[in-house]
Every structure is written in C-alpha cells, then in structure tokens.
Amino acid sequence: MSKTVYVTRKERFNAAHKLWHEEWSEQKNFDTFGKCSNPNWHGHNYDLFVTIKGVPDPITGFCMDLKDLSKIINSKVIDKLDHKNLNMDVDFLEGIKSSTENVAIAIWEQIEQDINACGCQLHAIKLYETENNFVEYYGGK
Ligand code: NI
C-alpha cells in the first residue's frame, strides 16, 4: 500500500533588504515596517524549510533523494539570494516588495516544476526571517 510522506529540507541564506513605500514619509515607513524600513538597508539570517510530499520508492525507501532536493533549492534559490540585496540583486524578485510573505511565494515558484519533475509535489515553503517571525506558503491562492 502506498502512503504519502512529507519530507523537509532546511537551507539557510543571509540577505539584505529594505521594506519601503516610496510615496510615504520616513515616519510612516517606520511606523509600518519598523526596523525593516532602515534607509541604509539591513540584513537577516533566513532559515528556509522546503517540504515535499510523495510516496516512498519501494527500492530506495525515499520519496525523493534529499541530495537532489538540496541541489534544486541551492541552484534555483540559495545561490541567487545568499549575500544579496533582495530589493536589487535578484531576478525573480524584481518588482516585488521583499516581505517574507512575498519571498516565500517567489521561492515556491522557483522550485515547484523541478520538484514535480522528480515525481514529488511541493507541499510547503516555510521561511523564517527572524527566530520569532516566519511565514508558510502552501501554493495556490
Ligand atoms: Ni528586515
């Protein structure tokens, strides 16, 4: 009998960003975005959890080889984000406000097809911006 299992790979990246709305005053930006509105940028140590779901292969016992999952995440996401400025340096974040929510959605879109190609489905993106704040995205609307 085939049973669905959820498998998670953790990766990390460090990146700079700023949350800022041009039409607002510095005070309103600070009131809305807090320290993330610092005009001269700041950084976060992000923790990224990518969860896939699949049925374990009868021979390997794996849903997906975690080396393959790590390779996908690194080539499509980490290499593009790590030690970069999320507002300026990242092709797949162009025109997107660099909130944790938006970055999580963009990461999903970067890796979903490659995970499907391995016979699994992407289940969740969990992205920690700080120890205490994280977002989850499960795809769709
Ligand atoms: Ni921030």
Side-chain angles (χ1 to χ4, degrees):
M1 199 169 17
S2 54
K3 310 251 186 197
T4 300
V5 182
Y6 297 79
V7 180
T8 300
R9 172 80 192 174
K10 179 182 182 183
E11 301 283 349
R12 300 163 186 83
F13 61 94
N14 309 319
H17 85 146
K18 172 171 68 175
L19 294 177
W20 188 268
H21 189 64
E22 285 297 341
E23 286 155 30
W24 292 350
S25 66
E26 194 166 331
Q27 185 61 50
K28 187 164 183 191
N29 272 291
F30 182 78
D31 292 345
T32 305
F33 299 122
K35 287 180 178 177
C36 282
S37 70
N38 182 45
N40 290 328
W41 313 101
H42 65 282
H44 294 283
N45 300 318
Y46 291 90
D47 287 329
L48 170 63
F49 295 81
V50 175
T51 303
I52 58 107
K53 67 174 174 179
V55 175
D57 179 89
I59 295 171
T60 63
F62 297 155
C63 298
M64 182 174 169
D65 189 329
L66 283 181
K67 290 192 297 292
D68 293 338
L69 181 56
S70 179
K71 256 182 233 165
I72 293 168
I73 301 167
N74 274 282
S75 64
K76 292 291 174 77
V77 177
I78 304 297
D79 290 352
K80 294 182 174 188
L81 301 183
D82 191 36
H83 287 70
K84 299 286 167 49
N85 181 322
L86 302 183
N87 295 51
M88 302 173 76
D89 297 334
V90 183
D91 54 1
F92 70 85
L93 294 177
E94 219 176 293
I96 294 172
K97 195 153 277 168
S98 60
S99 66
T100 319
E101 291 88 332
N102 287 342
V103 175
I105 293 167
I107 289 171
W108 176 290
E109 288 167 355
Q110 280 296 107
I111 61 175
E112 182 182 22
Q113 281 187 352
D114 286 17
I115 286 164
N116 290 341
C118 292
C120 287
Q121 278 179 283
L122 185 53
H123 174 66
I125 298 293
K126 193 186 286 186
L127 184 61
Y128 281 73
E129 188 182 68
T130 69
E131 242 181 303
N132 298 324
N133 297 336
F134 67 93
V135 308
E136 294 167 280
Y137 180 59
Y138 294 92
K141 286 185 182 176

